[in-house]
Amino acid sequence: MAATAAPLLLLPLLILATAASPASAEKDTHIKLYWHDVVSGPSPTAVQVARAAATNTSKTGFGAVVVIDDPLTEGPDLKSSSKPLGRAQGTYIAAGKDEVSLLMNMNFVFQAGKYNGSTVAIMGRNAVFDAVREMAIVGGSGVFRMARGYAQARTHTLDLKTGDATVEYNLYIKH
């Protein structure tokens, strides 16, 4: 009888250990911010570093590779009233042959506020002229270590003459 009682005594301990596991401490965080892609002027934040051969006549920019270090702000106004939150650093590649579609690969590097020193890694397809684009959150660091989730992008402004854009990003993060 004593041999069968021992496993039964361990059962409450196993239940408590499972309830106190780190997975139960997981958080959900929503962050809304603005991404500013500046390709014009004397100090661009997005620079094309490669492009397809001259024989490529695609109107989508297919084959272009752009490196970014774009400002991230609390509001849509880059120049005056929006509080800086950090930088979006990485690349985007014009991957759509028949439509303007980018492969985004970037880190949102937080440099202010409660997430200062943390990053969120984003990767995915961005069909630029769709109203809402969804990309995967594939990792992070600091507060966002082991992050997963998704980012939704909505174009706030796009200047077709300069190519400069402001995009609203909503990040839905599990960490």
Side-chain angles (χ1 to χ4, degrees), residues 61-66 91-96 101-105:
F62 180 65
V65 178
V66 177
T91 59
Y92 56 80
I93 301 166
S101 178
L102 307 173
L103 168 60
M104 308 293 291
N105 181 20

Side-chain angles (χ1 to χ4, degrees), residues 150-171:
Y150 63 99
Q152 287 184 333
R154 292 174 175 81
T155 302
H156 185 271
T157 58
L158 172 61
D159 185 328
L160 292 174
K161 289 182 183 176
T162 65
D164 295 349
T166 298
V167 178
E168 175 188 304
Y169 271 83
N170 281 279
L171 310 179

Side-chain angles (χ1 to χ4, degrees), residues 5 19-20 23 42 68 74 77 79 82 90 96 98 116 122 128 143 146 151 162 165:
I68 64 169
E74 194 171 72
D77 185 9
K79 305 245 188 254
S82 295
D98 298 321
N116 185 25
I122 298 170
V128 174
V143 171
M146 303 291 288
T162 65

Side-chain angles (χ1 to χ4, degrees), residues 124-144:
R125 180 176 184 268
N126 182 350
V128 174
F129 293 113
D130 286 359
V132 179
R133 289 90 66 193
E134 190 169 293
M135 291 159 268
I137 293 175
V138 296
S141 66
V143 171
F144 301 116

Side-chain angles (χ1 to χ4, degrees), residues 47-52 61-67 92:
V47 178
Q48 184 173 312
V49 296
R51 66 173 181 240
F62 180 65
V65 178
V66 177
V67 175
Y92 56 80

